[in-house]
């Protein structure tokens, strides 16, 4: 199986965790796309009724709407039973980097308001330590050059994320993304605390102590890991 097939495998498998009547957070990305498709099929077949989806990006909202999934915003629900999302890296300690699809802000809001979080990934995302994948940081445009310069001075090797046409990428909330090329994050909590304290940073892609269950796509099938 290639990477895309592994993503499909875990995307489809994860729908087993969705039970009738649940309010479900719907993540973002190519793996989640398979999950949302599978959820839409189950709803259309009448196997799941009364599902409410809470989406984490405009892209996922569009897909879910086309499939007829009822949607509410995070502010319109009193709880979220379960959120299923992808990840860019998951460490041995079950910390994650997210935001490769630039949706980290809404993803973190939905994840932190969920009773349970499941991440679905192909096996290439499982690592010992985080950091080979560039860490996305969402910043407001005003003063973003100053934030960038502070990152440079810290040796974080920042780059502004760009679109294919060379212009700066804008998130769903009209912010910029600065990617930090850190190679290895030895103390993710310390880095998260630093980033949380910087003016102009809206959110960062370190998702620490958040995930409950990881479903990994491996060649011999999906493997379910429970975080400690
Ligand atoms: C989007 C994300 C995605 O979940 C992450 O980038 C994984 O994406 P994919 O399933 O396409 O590999 O964090 O902001």
């Amino acid at each position: 199986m290639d990477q895309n097939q592994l993503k499909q495998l875990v995307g489809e498998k994860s729908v087993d965790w969705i039970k009738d009547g649940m309010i479900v957070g719907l993540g973002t990305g190519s793996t989640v796309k398979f999950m949302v498709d599978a959820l839409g099929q189950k709803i259309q077949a009448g196997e799941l009724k009364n599902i409410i989806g809470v989406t984490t990006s405009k892209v996922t909202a569009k897909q879910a709407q086309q499939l007829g999934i009822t949607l509410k915003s995070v502010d319109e629900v009193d709880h979220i039973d379960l959120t299923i999302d992808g990840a860019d890296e998951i460490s041995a300690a079950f910390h994650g980097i997210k935001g490769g699809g630039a949706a980290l802000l809404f993803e973190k809001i939905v994840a932190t308001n969920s009773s349970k979080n499941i991440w679905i990934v192909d096996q290439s995302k499982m690592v010992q330590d985080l950091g080979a994948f560039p860490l996305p940081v969402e910043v407001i445009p005003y003063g973003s050059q100053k934030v960038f310069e502070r990152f440079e001075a810290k040796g974080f090797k920042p780059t502004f994320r760009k679109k294919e046409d060379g212009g700066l990428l804008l998130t769903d909330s009209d912010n910029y993304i600065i990617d930090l090329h850190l190679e290895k994050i030895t103390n993710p909590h310390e880095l998260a605390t630093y980033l949380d304290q910087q003016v102009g940073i809206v959110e960062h892609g370190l998702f620490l102590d958040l995930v409950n269950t990881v479903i990994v796509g491996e060649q011999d099938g999906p493997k379910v890991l429970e975080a400690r």
Side-chain angles (χ1 to χ4, degrees), residues 7 28-32 85-88 98-104 107 125:
K7 288 182 178 196
T28 296
S30 55
T31 318
V32 163
D85 204 346
D88 299 302
K98 289 184 47 53
L104 63 135
E107 288 174 338
K125 309 286 187 69

Side-chain angles (χ1 to χ4, degrees), residues 159-193:
T159 50
F160 276 102
R161 197 177 299 181
K162 297 196 173 146
K163 298 180 289 184
E164 272 175 19
D165 67 7
L168 288 178
L169 181 134
L170 279 180
T171 67
D172 282 355
S173 304
D174 288 337
N175 294 314
Y176 296 152
I177 298 276
I178 298 177
D179 290 304
L180 305 181
H181 300 260
L182 301 167
E183 279 149 43
K184 185 174 173 182
I185 300 172
T186 40
N187 192 335
H189 285 99
E190 192 179 84
L191 178 60
T193 302

Side-chain angles (χ1 to χ4, degrees), residues 15-182:
V15 176
D16 291 351
W17 273 257
I18 303 177
K19 306 296 174 205
D20 229 355
M22 276 189 169
I23 301 175
V24 185
L26 306 175
T28 296
S30 55
T31 318
V32 163
K33 191 167 184 290
F34 288 117
M35 180 274 289
V36 174
D37 273 341
L39 176 61
Q41 278 167 21
K42 274 200 165 185
I43 291 171
Q44 282 162 18
E47 287 172 46
L48 284 173
K49 303 178 186 80
N50 307 315
I51 297 293
I52 292 171
V54 178
T55 54
T56 54
S57 62
K58 289 179 184 169
V59 171
T60 302
K62 190 174 171 196
Q63 184 197 2
Q65 272 158 357
Q66 283 169 349
L67 290 163
I69 301 173
T70 305
L71 297 181
K72 287 193 177 179
S73 91
V74 71
D75 290 317
E76 293 171 323
V77 296
D78 59 5
H79 72 285
I80 299 170
D81 294 291
L82 166 69
T83 289
I84 304 177
D85 204 346
D88 299 302
E89 271 186 351
I90 303 175
S91 71
F94 288 98
H95 301 314
I97 286 184
K98 289 184 47 53
L104 63 135
L105 176 58
F106 284 16
E107 288 174 338
K108 202 178 271 189
I109 291 171
V110 172
T112 53
N113 283 286
S114 298
S115 305
K116 181 176 170 71
N117 283 285
I118 297 179
W119 288 346
I120 49 177
V121 292
D122 67 85
Q123 57 194 14
S124 71
K125 309 286 187 69
M126 303 304 290
V127 297
Q128 183 61 36
D129 297 297
L130 300 177
F133 191 91
L135 176 66
V137 180
E138 182 157 348
V139 296
I140 63 164
Y142 187 81
S144 59
Q145 188 57 38
K146 300 295 172 209
V147 177
F148 186 92
E149 286 163 14
R150 280 208 300 276
F151 286 157
E152 265 188 332
K154 295 275 288 180
F156 289 170
K157 301 193 180 85
T159 50
F160 276 102
R161 197 177 299 181
K162 297 196 173 146
K163 298 180 289 184
E164 272 175 19
D165 67 7
L168 288 178
L169 181 134
L170 279 180
T171 67
D172 282 355
S173 304
D174 288 337
N175 294 314
Y176 296 152
I177 298 276
I178 298 177
D179 290 304
L180 305 181
H181 300 260
L182 301 167

